[in-house]
Amino acid sequence: MPLLLAAAIGACGPGAGETNGGGGDSIRTSEAVPTLAGHWRIAAIDGRAVASGAVMVGDGASIGWGPACAGYAWGYVVSGHRFRTQRRASPPIAAADPRPGVPAPHPCPIGIPPGVVDAANVLDAARRIEPSGTDAVRISGGGHTVTLRSQ
């Protein structure tokens, strides 16, 4: 009887390669995404391929695209499949010329490739991250997904 009780209790806890994610979730650590360090191509938005080849660069705590003035950078936290982001502030915009009729300078005179704005909307609302095939992750939030492929 003690052996049967021990087996029953053991079956209730996390198995090999699993951790208790709290709230009744069990997450296989081998399937969790610990970091977005590296270069990630925006491969798909809501399952549709993105052909622009825009690449985001990440480290252990942030990910972003382009120069800082573009405003496409986020700090992030990964906990199993839970994923939270916070948009990083852009540097201050240059002051406008006070003379009448002189237009204000553009804050970041660059072209934004297809996929970046849609990916940004997903990252702003991100709640979940999971592996998506070989060398790829799928991030979801706000009813949409972005798939990033490691470069």
Side-chain angles (χ1 to χ4, degrees), residues 59-109:
D59 60 28
S62 64
I63 189 165
W65 174 85
C69 65
Y72 293 104
W74 296 262
Y76 70 85
V77 176
V78 176
S79 177
H81 288 283
R82 293 182 192 103
F83 186 66
R84 298 289 186 260
T85 62
Q86 182 172 5
R87 179 98 56 137
R88 299 261 168 105
S90 301
I93 298 171
D97 190 319
R99 294 175 293 172
V102 177
H106 188 283
C108 196

Side-chain angles (χ1 to χ4, degrees), residues 17-48:
E18 293 183 330
T19 59
N20 187 349
D25 293 343
S26 286
I27 298 169
R28 292 192 178 280
T29 54
S30 62
E31 295 176 1
V33 179
T35 180
L36 290 175
H39 291 76
W40 298 88
R41 181 176 53 82
I42 301 172
I45 303 291
D46 293 334
R48 290 185 303 276

